[in-house]
Amino acid sequence: MRTNTMIKQASVLAVAAAFFTATADVSAESVMLKPKHKVGETVYVEQSAEIVQLIHNPMMGEPMEIAIHRIYGLLRKTDSGSSDGAKMSWTFDRTMQKVDSPMMEAAYDSDAPGAEDESELIAGPLNAMIGGKFNVEIDKDNTATSCSGMKAILDKAMEDAPGNPFSQQLQRELTDDRGRVNYGESMYLMYPNKEVNVGDTWKKTQRDLLPQIGKVVSRYEYKLDKITEEAGRKVAVISFKSTMEKDTSGKPADDVGPLGNADVKGTSSGTTTFDIERGMVTKSIANNETKIETKAKASDAKDGDEEEDGAQHSPPPGMKIEVKVKQTTLLMNEADRAKQKEAAAKHAKEVKKAEPKKETKKPAKKSDADEDEDE
C-alpha cells in the first residue's frame, strides 16, 4: 500500500517537473528580431487600407460618411544589403481603389481592368502609376535615410488627371517624404535589432509630418506573444498598440494643411507575423482609429471664403472627423503574385462575359409623312 502511494507521488512529481520544464522552455524561447537583406531577392508587398470617414460638420446637419478601399501592391527588390543597411527599389505592380461617398462613386483595379463599375475619374491616374519605380535606403538602425523617384511617378499620373479632384490625393501621397515614411520607416519601425524572449516588450516612437494635419507623434509598444508555426514555417507573432497626438516639440511645421490647427487623437492595435528564417515580416494587420476636431483660427476669414490665390481657409470650428482604418499588409513571392494576377484577370473576364449585352436600338423608320416634311 505504501509502495503504491510512493509510486503515485513519484508519478505526480514527475508530471509536475515535466510541466514546469516545458513551461520554462517555452518562456525561454527567443528570436533575433532583425531584418535580413537578401541581395537580389524580389518580393511582392500588398498594402490594403479599408477606410471609413464620418464627418460631422456643424454647418451641414447630418454627418457625411465616406468609404474608401485602397490597395497598392509593389515589387520590392533588395539591390544591396549589409550590416550597415540596405538599398531597395520598389515598383508599383497593382493599384486599386473604390470610393463610395455622397459626392462621388468610383472604382478601378489594375488587376481587373475594364470592370463594369470602372471609373475614368481614377482609372487613368492609377493605371499610370503601374511600373513606376522609386528607391529607398535604410541604415543599420532601420531608419529610412532617403527616398527618390516619386516625382516622376506623380508627373505621369498627373498627365491623366488634369483638374481631377483625385489628383489631390496623389499629390499628397506620391512624394519622396511620404515614400520614405510609408515604405521605409514604417516598414522597419517594429524591429528592436536584438534577441527577444517570448513575453518581452519594447517601445518605439515615430514622428511624422502628415500633409493635411501637420506634425504628429506616435508611441508604440510591442510584445513578442509567441513563436509558432504557420504553413510549415517558424514565425514570431508580435502584438502592438499605439497612441497618436499632435507633436508640439521643436519648431512648428512650415507647410501645415487645412487641419493643422485641429485637435488630433489616435489609437492603433494589431499583430505582426515575422518569418524567422527569411528575416522579414510576412503579414501585418492593424486597426486604427483617429478623432479630429477643428478649432477657430484668429486669422481666419468667414468660413468657406477663399484667399486671393484661391486656397480655402481651414474648415469651420467644431467640425469632427472620425476615421477608422483597417490596414493589412501581406508579403508573397513572385510566383504567388503571378497566380494572384492571373486569377484576378480570369475572374474579371468571366464577370464581363456574364454581363447582359446592351441592346442597340435601331433608328425608327421614317414614315412617308416624315419624308415629305424633310423635303
Side-chain angles (χ1 to χ4, degrees), residues 46-61:
E46 187 167 276
Q47 297 178 313
S48 168
E50 298 171 68
I51 308 164
V52 177
Q53 296 180 358
L54 198 61
I55 302 173
H56 304 264
N57 189 334
M59 301 176 66
M60 295 176 63

Side-chain angles (χ1 to χ4, degrees), residues 228-345:
T228 184
E229 280 196 11
E230 289 187 6
R233 302 191 66 86
K234 195 172 184 181
V235 299
V237 178
I238 301 109
S239 61
F240 62 88
K241 57 184 178 181
S242 73
T243 60
M244 181 185 73
E245 61 187 3
K246 293 294 280 291
D247 186 0
T248 57
S249 65
K251 295 181 179 179
D254 294 328
D255 185 16
V256 178
L259 298 173
N261 197 45
D263 288 327
V264 179
K265 297 289 183 184
T267 60
S268 177
S269 62
T271 57
T272 293
T273 303
F274 173 78
D275 188 307
I276 296 173
E277 182 182 353
R278 298 178 72 185
M280 63 176 67
V281 170
T282 54
K283 180 172 65 177
S284 182
I285 300 174
N287 290 290
N288 311 319
E289 291 190 24
T290 305
K291 293 184 178 181
I292 303 168
E293 184 171 359
T294 59
K295 298 186 292 184
K297 271 187 178 181
S299 61
D300 277 350
K302 293 180 180 179
D303 297 325
D305 286 351
E306 292 188 354
E307 298 188 21
E308 293 181 3
D309 61 359
Q312 288 287 333
H313 285 279
S314 52
M319 176 184 284
K320 297 180 181 180
I321 305 172
E322 299 174 34
V323 185
K324 293 185 179 182
V325 184
K326 181 181 179 180
Q327 290 181 306
T328 304
T329 300
L330 296 174
L331 183 144
M332 63 182 77
N333 58 40
E334 289 183 281
D336 287 340
R337 166 56 182 155
K339 292 177 183 177
Q340 180 197 44
K341 208 169 185 177
E342 183 181 349

Side-chain angles (χ1 to χ4, degrees), residues 178-222:
R178 295 316 310 153
R180 179 187 61 79
V181 174
N182 294 337
Y183 303 103
E185 192 170 301
S186 295
M187 287 275 184
Y188 294 90
L189 183 68
M190 176 275 296
Y191 293 105
N193 278 3
K194 64 179 183 180
E195 194 83 15
V196 178
N197 293 318
V198 171
D200 282 356
T201 61
W202 63 99
K203 297 180 179 181
K204 289 291 188 76
T205 299
Q206 183 182 35
R207 299 183 187 277
D208 196 4
L209 177 60
L210 299 180
Q212 290 188 295
I213 294 175
K215 292 168 58 178
V216 297
V217 57
S218 298
R219 296 179 174 86
Y220 288 81
E221 182 174 328
Y222 298 92

Side-chain angles (χ1 to χ4, degrees), residues 351-368:
V351 170
K352 197 167 185 179
K353 188 177 180 181
E355 290 173 6
K357 292 184 178 180
K358 295 181 180 179
E359 294 183 4
T360 304
K361 292 185 178 180
K362 296 181 180 180
K365 186 177 180 181
K366 290 184 177 181
S367 64
D368 293 338

